[in-house]
Structure formats: C-alpha cells, structure tokens
Amino acid sequence: MPYLVWINDSGAIVDRWELGNQPLVAGRGSECEIKLADQRASRRHFQVVPRDGRYYISDLESANGTFLNDQRLATENALSTGDTIRVGSTILTFEAGKPKGLGTIISELQKESEESGKGFKTMIREITRDQKK
C-alpha cells in the first residue's frame, strides 16, 4: 500500500499516511485527512486521488503553491516512488510501499553480514560513508 511520509530536517519520520482508494486532502484545516502544521499551508492545500492503479496530486488553488520535485504544480500529476511534495517548509515523500521498520532493517543487515563476511561496524561505516556522499 502506498504512503505519504513526512520526514523532518534531521531525517526522522514525523508522520505517515496510507493512501487507500479514497481521495485525501492535505492542509491546515481540521477536516483534512493529512494535517500539515505549517503556517504557509492553506486550509485545503492539495489532494491525492487514486485512479487506474496510480495516485495523482493536484493543488487546490493554495496561496503558496504545491511543489512536486521542486516544480510548482500547475496541473494534476501522477506520483512515482521517491517523489517529493513540498508545502512551505514541509516535505513529504511518496513511497509505493510501507517503509521498512527497524527490525526488518536489522534482519537484512544480519543476513548481508553473514553472506559477505563483514561485521556490523564495517557495514555501518560503509552506510555512513555513503550517506555523506
């Protein structure tokens, strides 16, 4: 099931919303399914609509605009995995599947460690190095 994931400046997941078979509206308004705590967000800022097995985003005539991959939305656009949606200083990411939990990540690292012969410290050092690039 696809998700919109709100990640803060430090890279931590703040919130996540599952996208089902109903349209979802994002904004500051209390009636919005995706509530944005951003003063530059309109009460009803953008919507995500499922159609034909895909998800489409459109701006709802917001005052400050909705940005998809740093481009201001002028028309409805289909979302793809990894797309970023920016409203003010809030950044959401579209993910086609549920993000992995810590237990899954640790299990995958353990399996990779066994297969490669590398220890956890070496793997963490490599991951950290790759994140700095």
Side-chain angles (χ1 to χ4, degrees):
M1 186 63 61
Y3 288 80
L4 282 183
V5 181
W6 177 9
I7 301 174
N8 67 16
D9 294 336
S10 65
I13 294 175
V14 177
D15 211 341
R16 142 182 337 133
W17 297 272
E18 184 175 343
L19 302 176
N21 58 4
Q22 297 295 317
L24 296 180
V25 174
R28 286 185 299 115
S30 60
E31 74 282 356
C32 293
E33 292 84 9
I34 301 172
K35 292 181 182 42
L36 303 176
D38 191 313
Q39 290 303 310
R40 291 186 278 176
S42 295
R43 285 184 193 90
R44 291 175 43 87
H45 202 96
F46 71 86
Q47 70 177 350
V48 177
V49 177
R51 187 171 61 247
D52 302 325
R54 300 207 55 196
Y55 291 86
Y56 295 84
I57 184 171
S58 57
D59 186 76
L60 296 175
E61 299 179 7
S62 64
N64 295 315
T66 302
F67 293 80
L68 178 62
N69 300 323
D70 294 323
Q71 300 292 316
R72 188 174 184 142
L73 280 177
T75 61
E76 181 180 72
N77 285 79
L79 291 169
S80 298
T81 297
D83 280 349
T84 59
I85 301 161
R86 183 172 54 82
V87 173
S89 61
T90 302
I91 297 176
L92 306 170
T93 302
F94 176 76
E95 298 294 338
K98 184 176 181 180
K100 296 176 184 176
L102 184 58
T104 302
I105 293 169
I106 290 172
S107 294
E108 288 176 356
L109 284 173
Q110 185 173 13
K111 182 178 179 185
E112 185 176 334
S113 173
E114 292 167 359
E115 291 173 357
S116 70
K118 295 179 184 177
F120 277 123
K121 286 184 181 180
T122 301
M123 293 173 70
I124 297 298
R125 192 169 36 253
E126 289 175 355
I127 292 168
T128 305
R129 184 188 66 227
D130 290 346
Q131 290 296 317
K132 291 180 181 177
K133 289 182 181 180

